Amino acid sequence: PAAGQGLVRLQRPTELERAATTVSQVWLPAQNQAEAIGMAVRDVRLKLYRLVTGSPDFATLDKNQTALTDGLGALSELRQAYQDRLSTPRQRDTYERFTGAWNAYQNIQLQVVELMIAGDKDGALKLVLDPETGAQNEAAVASLTEAIDLARSQTDANVLATADNATSAKLTALVATAVALAVAVAAMLFALFGIARPIQRMTGAMG
């Protein structure tokens, strides 16, 4: 019984540790990175608007263009880190749809920057406000929102599974303890009656 309890203690913590590690090292970081990409996408779009509407001279234009370039660089790093964590077909499919829409939107961003450098502020503003530009951005955001929701649901599902495993481990430990106690009691009774019977026989023989 003690060996059985030891096996339960050995196996269950290993399963729990494995589940907890999966949550902390796989699903939660993926969720955090997907959410960080969402924030970076919003930041880039704001910087694009600032480039067009808040660049009255070339010095400010250069400053805003640098800020936009830095924002795109930070976004690229986040995307690379997130790509390394894609582990299911649904994750990859969702991210590929985001990539396609975002690349199309980024091409429009490049055209806006080129118009601003050429001094065509009106053309740049018109392109930024064009419904097609908005549609490309919305498509990218929609796919990214799906990726974030998927990451959250996977994190929640694995947290619940870990909690279920913990509950199961407690129940298993209780059952193992109860069995061990029952065996111990049975052994004690056997020992008592096993000793009592020979004594009774000896007493009878002597009488």
Side-chain angles (χ1 to χ4, degrees), residues 29-154:
Q31 174 186 328
N32 291 339
Q33 285 170 341
E35 292 173 345
I37 290 172
M39 294 178 63
V41 164
R42 288 191 292 272
D43 179 62
V44 165
R45 185 164 189 186
L46 286 173
K47 286 177 177 175
L48 182 67
Y49 276 115
R50 190 175 296 121
L51 177 79
V52 175
T53 62
S55 302
D57 51 55
F58 280 107
T60 310
L61 174 62
D62 183 64
K63 179 181 177 181
N64 287 335
Q65 185 180 348
T66 299
L68 176 61
T69 301
D70 291 344
L72 288 169
L75 175 58
S76 178
E77 291 178 5
L78 288 170
R79 290 179 60 191
Q80 183 58 54
Y82 182 65
Q83 286 177 28
D84 295 340
R85 293 190 179 276
L86 298 177
S87 57
T88 68
R90 187 180 173 190
Q91 278 183 316
R92 286 188 284 271
D93 177 67
T94 303
Y95 184 74
E96 284 173 7
R97 282 189 279 113
F98 163 73
T99 298
W102 180 254
N103 286 345
Y105 179 69
Q106 201 164 359
N107 287 335
I108 296 173
Q109 288 179 330
L110 180 60
Q111 295 174 43
V112 170
V113 172
E114 289 174 347
L115 288 169
M116 287 296 295
I117 292 174
D120 188 0
K121 182 177 180 180
D122 291 339
L125 183 59
K126 182 179 179 181
L127 185 55
V128 167
L129 299 177
D130 188 287
E132 180 61 27
T133 302
Q136 290 293 350
N137 181 73
E138 288 171 7
V141 170
S143 297
L144 185 57
T145 300
E146 184 180 345
I148 292 171
D149 291 342
L150 177 60
R152 286 174 178 167
S153 67
Q154 289 171 325

Side-chain angles (χ1 to χ4, degrees), residues 181-199 201:
L181 287 173
V183 171
V185 170
M188 181 182 68
L189 292 174
F190 176 81
L192 287 174
F193 287 112
I195 292 172
R197 288 194 189 98
I199 291 176
R201 283 198 296 270

